[in-house]
Amino acid sequence: MQKSMENVHQAAEEDDLYSGYNDFNPAFYSEFENDVGFQQAVRTTYGRRPPVRNVCIVFVFVTREPLLDLLKLASVSKDFLLPWEFVFSGSAFDPLGRSRGPAPPLEDTYVFSSGVFSLLLLICIACDLIALDKAKEAHREERALVKQREQSGSADHINLDLTYSVQLNLANQYEKNEMHPEALSSYKAIVKNKMFSNAGRLKVNMGNIYYKQKNYHKAIKFYRMALDQISNAHKDMRSKIKHSIAVVFIAMGQYSDAITSLEDIMSETPNITAGFNLILCYHAAGDREKMKKAFQKLISVPLGISDEDKYIPPNDDTSSKMVIEAIKNDKLSQMERDLKARAEKYITTAAKLICPAMDASFASEFDWCVDMVKNSQYVQLANDLEFHKAMTCLRQKDHNQAKEILKTFEKKDSKMKSAAATNLSFIYFQEKDFDQADKYADLAMSADHYNPAALTNKGNTVFVKQDYEKAAEFYKEALRNDSLCTESLHNLGLAYKRLNHLEEALDCFLKLHAILKNSDQVMYQLADIYELMGDRQQAIKWLMQVICVTPTDPHVLAKLGKLHNDEGDKSQALHYYSESFRLFPCKIDVIEWLGVHYIESQFFEKATQYFERATLIQPTQVKWQLMEASCYRKSGNYQKALETYKEIHRKFPENVDCLCFLVRLSTDMGLKEVQEYATKLKKAEKMKEIREQKVKSGQGSTAGGRREGSGGSADSNHSSGSSRGERLSAKMRSLTVSNEPYEADSQKELDASYMDPLGPQIERPKTGAKKRVDDDDDFGDEELGDDLLPE
């Protein structure tokens, strides 16, 4: 016994084995003792709270999923009860509790009424798909309730407010679901019931429905009927109805009637929206003088907004600062800011309507608007209007007037000063005055160093000086301040491309493409970079996307033809070159490729058409006429070839190639002019030898001067400046020895006639230095494009 008790722990006398059972977690504490409903529910045999006598309808809008989850939870748990007297039995939904059998006579009326209120609550929180069905069900239940009370002799206790709420909810649900005939029928039933006081105001809702149906005459009729139901004491309501009438007249194009309604509003209860609409109506009627008078009324309308100084704490009191921070962004403050922003937008737009840009008196009337604004409560808008005037002059290409206005902002605050200097820099950049552009770019940066447009302009002025590394730094700084500055990102890609950093340039344009999905300029640059990297397939892919956006760009089609030709796909090259020629039949390199292609394909008659076109475009270039004559000769039309050579000889009497072919054709055809052409050929060759000797002597003297340190380079300049026509002439001279004048033609010579990969200056996509002038922007953004950069 002792051994068995050795391992048994005996509790000390002070230990309580049941300690902790009476402890509770405060998180689960609830004042159930003070909850009368809970205490009564515990004592009742039904185990639920007593019916709530006063039901308050709370409008809560939720999506369908939480509501369905709530119903599903209710169907699973039989003991789950809502505080709105929703009773569930299994999966069936029985809001009136009818599944419990017949109710006692005295309480049946109450349970019925409670169920109708419950349905109204469900209408408020249900989604659109079931709200109408519940509204109909509530209407049926309410009708049954009224009938039951009449039968029980308690008609005096009929709740008219409940009846009105049910019918109004049904009409609203019909209108919300665009069931306009049913909504009108429900509204008429309410309006005709004389037991409902002030029901005539619902004619406004009926007028709204007729307006949606574009039945404007009936809409005006019901608006006026509703206006008659409202006394003069309710000025705001009458003003809103009059404004609705004016809007209907505007939709009908009856501006005179709309003006009458709006003038009544502005004389009784003026507001910003009515004043702006009145100016629009005067503008539509073409009455400029009345527009000015309405503008004066518009800027004098009180907004009822207190001064923003109330948000500045009067002292260092911490509690005051906390209160101010709490009310600074509350709903009321947001409403005040929205109202002020809308008023400023209306006033600015009205000033633009009063002062049309194409009018001769634009400047004087704009100055009048600025003076009116300066003497009103919207003084801060005067600078914005003057800035808009400068932008309007800029759009009209009146750079001098724009510069005069913008220079007046140099003494304004830093924000306006930076915006003005940014646009001045842009104007001088457009005028090629890069020193002034650089000066104002620096001024804009000093006023606001975080202005991305100013940094972009500064980078542009450095770019044209070919300091691409420094320009790239300015573009990167602009991107650090505004990552969505597309102009800086585009120009940074151009700078990297000039520095031959093709990977970095590709990365810039790929990012830009992610921002500007359908920009043909960006896709063209991507194609050009891939071509420079030697990836012709990717270049073709991006050019195909350019064609999807701009299918009628002949220069992109010509570039596609060149790439396919380099890849050896002659058929696709012919297709794109032909399309380019069809859209723009004046591109010489396209004409030359097509002519040579048809010569190689032995279609001389078709090649002749292209060389005739080239002759019309460049009549002083003898090579096109020589190739046209050769086509005639190759096709066997010797007489036409002879006439063409004679015409060439008349225009270019010293051309050796033409004389060689004339001698050959005259000999073959047995003509008497053979000796004459042979004599001229000898003279022409002698003159040519003399010129070549002079060129060689000039080259020798230049080389000697270069050895002496003179730095001359005439020969290299001459060689580098030799034109495509001179190279082709040399080739044509070599063709005179052979009976086949085109068998020495090579594709390498044709490739040399193409310009640099960016395309000719006038033919590149115009990403260019363009200015964004937006009414809401403080400055214009500039973009440096390839067309403004020297090659």
Side-chain angles (χ1 to χ4, degrees):
M1 182 67 179
Q2 291 180 354
K3 288 185 178 181
S4 62
M5 294 296 294
E6 287 178 358
N7 297 325
V8 176
H9 172 71
Q10 296 181 357
E13 294 180 359
E14 63 273 10
D15 291 343
D16 187 4
L17 297 178
Y18 300 98
S19 62
Y21 283 95
N22 293 328
D23 297 337
F24 65 94
N25 191 338
F28 300 105
Y29 176 74
S30 179
E31 296 182 356
F32 291 117
E33 295 179 356
N34 299 326
D35 191 342
V36 179
F38 177 79
Q39 295 297 329
Q40 186 174 352
V42 172
R43 292 193 296 269
T44 57
T45 56
Y46 292 97
R48 62 183 181 87
R49 293 191 180 193
V52 181
R53 297 297 175 181
N54 297 322
V55 179
C56 178
I57 300 178
V58 181
F59 291 86
V60 183
F61 297 94
V62 297
T63 57
R64 178 172 53 177
E65 287 73 11
L67 178 64
L68 295 179
D69 293 340
L70 183 65
L71 296 177
K72 183 178 180 181
L73 178 61
S75 64
V76 172
S77 176
K78 295 183 180 180
D79 297 329
F80 178 81
L81 298 174
L82 294 177
W84 305 321
E85 281 299 309
F86 288 166
V87 181
F88 297 90
S89 177
S91 60
F93 177 51
D94 186 13
L96 302 182
R98 293 183 174 180
S99 61
R100 297 195 299 268
L106 294 179
E107 292 189 9
D108 182 79
T109 300
Y110 169 74
V111 175
F112 224 146
S113 177
S114 176
V116 175
F117 273 111
S118 300
L119 288 173
L120 285 177
L121 288 171
L122 185 59
I123 291 168
C124 296
I125 66 172
C127 60
D128 296 341
L129 297 178
I130 63 175
L132 180 59
D133 294 336
K134 296 303 176 184
K136 292 179 180 178
E137 184 179 351
H139 183 262
R140 289 193 299 268
E141 298 295 345
E142 192 275 333
R143 289 290 89 200
L145 173 62
V146 171
K147 184 177 180 181
Q148 185 176 4
R149 281 179 171 171
E150 290 176 348
Q151 292 175 356
S152 63
S154 58
D156 295 339
H157 295 86
I158 295 176
N159 192 341
L160 292 178
D161 292 338
L162 176 63
T163 303
Y164 180 81
S165 300
V166 170
Q167 294 185 10
L168 181 59
N169 269 287
L170 180 60
N172 287 337
Q173 290 303 322
Y174 277 134
E175 183 179 358
K176 190 174 183 180
N177 287 274
E178 297 185 356
M179 301 173 65
H180 296 153
E182 292 82 355
L184 288 173
S185 178
S186 299
Y187 282 128
K188 287 179 182 178
I190 299 174
V191 171
K192 290 181 180 180
N193 194 336
K194 297 181 180 179
M195 299 178 66
F196 300 143
S197 60
N198 298 325
R201 297 184 179 183
L202 294 179
K203 291 180 180 178
V204 174
N205 296 25
M206 300 173 70
N208 293 338
I209 294 175
Y210 284 122
Y211 178 77
K212 291 178 182 178
Q213 293 177 337
K214 297 185 178 181
N215 192 346
Y216 299 130
H217 293 286
K218 279 195 173 183
I220 292 175
K221 174 184 176 181
F222 277 91
Y223 284 144
R224 286 176 172 171
M225 291 171 64
L227 190 64
D228 295 337
Q229 297 284 332
I230 300 173
S231 63
N232 293 328
H234 300 85
K235 292 183 178 180
D236 291 338
M237 180 64 70
R238 291 179 62 84
S239 176
K240 292 178 181 179
I241 297 176
K242 287 181 180 179
H243 191 269
S244 298
I245 294 173
V247 170
V248 177
F249 278 128
I250 292 174
M252 296 171 65
Q254 299 180 11
Y255 301 112
S256 58
D257 295 328
I259 288 172
T260 302
S261 297
L262 294 171
E263 285 178 343
D264 291 342
I265 297 172
M266 294 301 293
S267 61
E268 296 176 0
T269 55
N271 62 80
I272 289 293
T273 306
F276 179 68
N277 287 340
L278 182 59
I279 293 177
L280 292 179
C281 291
Y282 283 139
H283 178 73
D287 195 337
R288 187 73 60 81
E289 294 301 322
K290 288 188 177 180
M291 286 178 68
K292 291 184 177 181
K293 294 180 180 179
F295 184 77
Q296 290 177 326
K297 291 182 180 179
L298 178 64
I299 61 178
S300 62
V301 172
L303 295 179
I305 300 176
S306 57
D307 193 3
E308 292 186 357
D309 292 341
K310 66 181 180 181
Y311 298 118
I312 300 176
N315 48 42
D316 295 334
D317 187 9
T318 306
S319 60
S320 300
K321 291 182 179 180
M322 293 177 64
V323 172
I324 290 174
E325 288 296 328
I327 68 173
K328 195 171 183 179
N329 292 315
D330 60 359
K331 294 293 184 181
L332 180 59
S333 300
Q334 293 176 8
M335 290 175 60
E336 290 179 349
R337 287 195 293 269
D338 293 341
L339 178 60
K340 186 177 180 181
R342 186 166 68 251
E344 292 177 353
K345 180 181 178 181
Y346 286 164
I347 292 171
T348 305
T349 307
K352 297 175 185 177
L353 290 175
I354 294 173
C355 312
M358 303 306 295
D359 199 294
S361 59
F362 162 74
S364 60
E365 293 191 355
F366 214 104
D367 292 337
W368 177 85
C369 290
V370 171
D371 292 338
M372 290 293 103
V373 171
K374 285 182 178 179
N375 297 323
S376 68
Q377 57 183 323
Y378 304 99
V379 181
Q380 71 279 3
L381 289 181
N383 289 334
D384 295 338
L385 290 176
E386 290 181 351
F387 199 85
H388 172 73
K389 181 181 178 182
M391 297 302 99
T392 305
C393 294
L394 191 59
R395 293 190 186 98
Q396 294 177 339
K397 308 299 182 182
D398 189 357
H399 289 181
N400 294 329
Q401 181 70 12
K403 286 188 287 188
E404 290 179 4
I405 298 173
L406 291 173
K407 286 179 180 178
T408 61
F409 287 91
E410 293 185 10
K411 297 181 181 180
K412 303 291 183 180
D413 59 273
S414 59
K415 184 178 180 181
M416 298 300 297
K417 181 179 180 180
S418 178
T422 299
N423 286 281
L424 282 168
S425 176
F426 165 76
I427 294 172
Y428 283 116
F429 190 88
Q430 291 285 341
E431 295 176 348
K432 309 297 183 184
D433 191 348
F434 300 123
D435 293 334
Q436 287 293 325
D438 185 71
K439 170 188 172 183
Y440 280 100
D442 290 335
L443 182 62
M445 290 170 56
S446 62
D448 182 6
H449 187 70
Y450 299 99
N451 185 345
L455 291 165
T456 303
N457 283 351
K458 180 63 177 179
N460 294 349
T461 58
V462 177
F463 195 108
V464 296
K465 297 176 183 178
Q466 299 184 6
D467 191 352
Y468 304 124
E469 292 184 357
K470 190 174 181 181
E473 292 300 324
F474 283 110
Y475 296 143
K476 287 188 284 188
E477 181 66 22
L479 288 171
R480 280 192 288 269
N481 295 330
D482 182 7
S483 60
L484 295 179
C485 185
T486 56
E487 294 85 359
S488 295
L489 186 58
H490 177 273
N491 294 345
L492 180 61
L494 293 181
Y496 280 139
K497 190 165 68 170
R498 292 302 176 88
L499 293 169
N500 202 30
H501 299 166
L502 300 181
E503 293 292 341
E504 291 83 352
L506 182 64
D507 183 62
C508 289
F509 284 109
L510 286 174
K511 290 179 181 177
L512 194 59
H513 177 67
I515 301 172
L516 308 174
K517 292 290 186 182
N518 296 322
S519 174
D520 53 347
Q521 306 167 10
V522 176
M523 291 186 286
Y524 182 87
Q525 291 293 341
L526 285 168
D528 183 60
I529 292 173
Y530 275 117
E531 184 183 8
L532 293 175
M533 296 172 68
D535 192 345
R536 295 193 188 98
Q537 291 298 326
Q538 283 293 329
I540 292 172
K541 171 188 172 184
W542 284 104
L543 287 178
M544 291 299 296
Q545 294 189 40
V546 176
I547 291 299
C548 292
V549 178
T550 55
T552 58
D553 191 330
H555 311 295
V556 176
L557 290 168
K559 195 172 183 67
L560 271 171
K562 176 184 178 299
L563 290 172
H564 280 291
N565 183 72
D566 294 342
E567 288 289 298
D569 191 347
K570 296 287 185 180
S571 60
Q572 285 293 332
L574 176 62
H575 169 72
Y576 288 115
Y577 274 124
S578 299
E579 284 296 305
S580 177
F581 177 79
R582 181 179 64 84
L583 294 170
F584 185 62
C586 299
K587 192 171 173 59
I588 288 297
D589 55 346
V590 174
I591 295 173
E592 182 177 8
W593 190 93
L594 289 170
V596 173
H597 172 77
Y598 283 114
I599 287 176
E600 293 175 349
S601 302
Q602 304 295 315
F603 293 105
F604 303 109
E605 294 82 0
K606 201 166 184 63
T608 303
Q609 300 174 7
Y610 293 103
F611 292 126
E612 287 177 352
R613 170 76 64 172
T615 301
L616 293 175
I617 297 172
Q618 295 181 346
T620 59
Q621 293 289 335
V622 67
K623 60 179 179 179
W624 308 122
Q625 300 178 46
L626 289 172
M627 298 177 82
E628 178 186 352
S630 297
C631 289
Y632 286 129
R633 186 171 61 86
K634 295 285 289 184
S635 61
N637 192 349
Y638 298 108
Q639 185 62 37
K640 183 67 174 177
L642 180 62
E643 293 174 0
T644 304
Y645 281 126
K646 287 182 179 180
E647 183 66 23
I648 297 172
H649 176 64
R650 187 180 63 81
K651 295 178 181 179
F652 306 96
E654 296 181 357
N655 187 273
V656 177
D657 299 323
C658 179
L659 289 170
C660 289
F661 283 111
L662 279 172
V663 170
R664 184 182 301 173
L665 282 175
S666 300
T667 302
D668 294 341
M669 299 175 68
L671 300 179
K672 299 178 181 180
E673 295 90 346
V674 175
Q675 189 61 38
E676 177 184 355
Y677 291 135
T679 303
K680 292 180 178 180
L681 177 59
K682 290 180 181 180
K683 291 181 180 180
E685 289 177 345
K686 187 175 181 180
M687 293 294 297
K688 182 179 178 182
E689 290 177 359
I690 294 173
R691 286 194 297 270
E692 289 178 352
Q693 289 178 358
K694 289 182 179 180
V695 171
K696 290 180 180 179
S697 62
Q699 291 176 354
S701 62
T702 303
R706 185 166 57 248
R707 285 192 300 270
E708 294 172 3
S710 62
S713 158
D715 181 57
S716 61
N717 289 337
H718 174 75
S719 300
S720 61
S722 61
S723 65
R724 166 76 175 125
E726 292 175 349
R727 293 197 302 272
L728 189 59
S729 297
K731 183 172 64 177
M732 293 298 295
R733 286 195 299 273
S734 65
L735 295 177
T736 58
V737 182
S738 173
N739 292 328
E740 302 296 332
Y742 293 101
E743 62 188 15
D745 226 359
S746 66
Q747 189 58 40
K748 184 176 180 182
E749 282 290 331
L750 285 177
D751 290 343
S753 68
Y754 289 93
M755 301 185 72
D756 62 339
L758 295 179
Q761 296 285 345
I762 62 172
E763 298 170 0
R764 296 176 191 166
K766 301 298 181 184
T767 302
K770 61 184 180 181
K771 178 173 175 29
R772 297 184 308 179
V773 183
D774 194 273
D775 297 334
D776 298 329
D777 291 343
D778 294 324
F779 49 81
D781 295 336
E782 288 75 30
E783 180 180 4
L784 181 62
D786 219 15
D787 54 315
L788 294 179
L789 305 180
E791 291 298 323

